[in-house]
Amino acid sequence: MSDERLDAEDLNRLRELGQRFMRAVPHNNALGLELRSVGEGRAEIFLPYDLRLVGNPETGVLHGGAISALIDACCGAAVFQALRKPMAIATLDLRIDYLKPAAPGVGVTARAHCYKVTRHVAFVRGVAFLDHEDDPIATSAGTFMLGTRTTSRTEGAT
């Protein structure tokens, strides 16, 4: 999006798009992800602690796959907030660097920023943390394909 500030109507539209995105992806609901905030090319999502998502029962730490899904969802939500018009997206590449394990019994917050949108690809950075963003448990860099759509196998066949 451009650097110009959004009016209240545009911000409400962005929030609604973010909420629809969260409802539309079944594993977002299964994980209990909570969309906390959205803005111009930005999103924040919270993953509540849940015993079903623990990777090692001896430590009680959330599984890395749940944190990966959180980061992917947050990065995707940030991409939606950066688009001029709604369109389908797909994760092309998502690199996640795990810096330390999450703490037992504590939910994880992710924040993402879509900093560049081209005709076909959006670029995003994200971070997952417990209490403070400057003490991350994971960081990420990703690319998302824009304008994807599902086609049937016979479509376009001659």
Side-chain angles (χ1 to χ4, degrees), residues 11 16 42 49 51 64 68 70 78 83-84 88 95 99 102 105 125 131 133 137 146 152 156:
L11 285 173
E16 176 56 31
R42 298 185 182 273
Y49 185 84
L51 287 174
S68 293
L70 165 68
L83 298 176
R84 294 183 183 277
R95 175 194 166 105
L99 307 174
R125 291 186 193 105
D131 296 317
E133 187 173 352
I137 61 173
L146 306 178
S152 69

Side-chain angles (χ1 to χ4, degrees), residues 69-120:
L70 165 68
I71 292 171
D72 189 28
C74 193
C75 288
V79 170
F80 277 120
Q81 301 310 308
L83 298 176
R84 294 183 183 277
K85 62 181 181 179
M87 67 178 70
I89 66 170
T91 308
L92 284 174
D93 180 53
L94 184 62
R95 175 194 166 105
I96 300 174
D97 293 319
Y98 287 93
L99 307 174
K100 65 181 183 178
V106 180
V108 177
T109 300
R111 287 189 185 139
H113 175 225
C114 180
Y115 60 92
K116 176 76 173 172
V117 177
T118 68
R119 188 169 169 214
H120 298 289

Side-chain angles (χ1 to χ4, degrees), residues 21-82:
F21 168 69
M22 293 300 293
R23 289 189 303 264
V25 180
H27 67 264
N28 288 350
N29 292 316
L31 291 170
L33 298 183
E34 301 170 8
L35 182 65
R36 293 277 171 94
S37 67
V38 293
E40 296 178 65
R42 298 185 182 273
E44 179 178 302
I45 298 177
F46 180 71
L47 171 64
Y49 185 84
D50 186 328
L51 287 174
R52 296 175 303 145
L53 305 177
V54 168
N56 181 345
E58 290 182 17
T59 65
V61 173
L62 289 173
H63 191 281
I67 295 170
S68 293
L70 165 68
I71 292 171
D72 189 28
C74 193
C75 288
V79 170
F80 277 120
Q81 301 310 308

Side-chain angles (χ1 to χ4, degrees), residues 128-149:
F129 59 94
L130 301 174
D131 296 317
H132 304 285
E133 187 173 352
D134 59 353
D135 186 22
I137 61 173
T139 60
S140 68
T143 55
F144 286 73
M145 184 168 49
L146 306 178
T148 63
R149 66 184 188 118

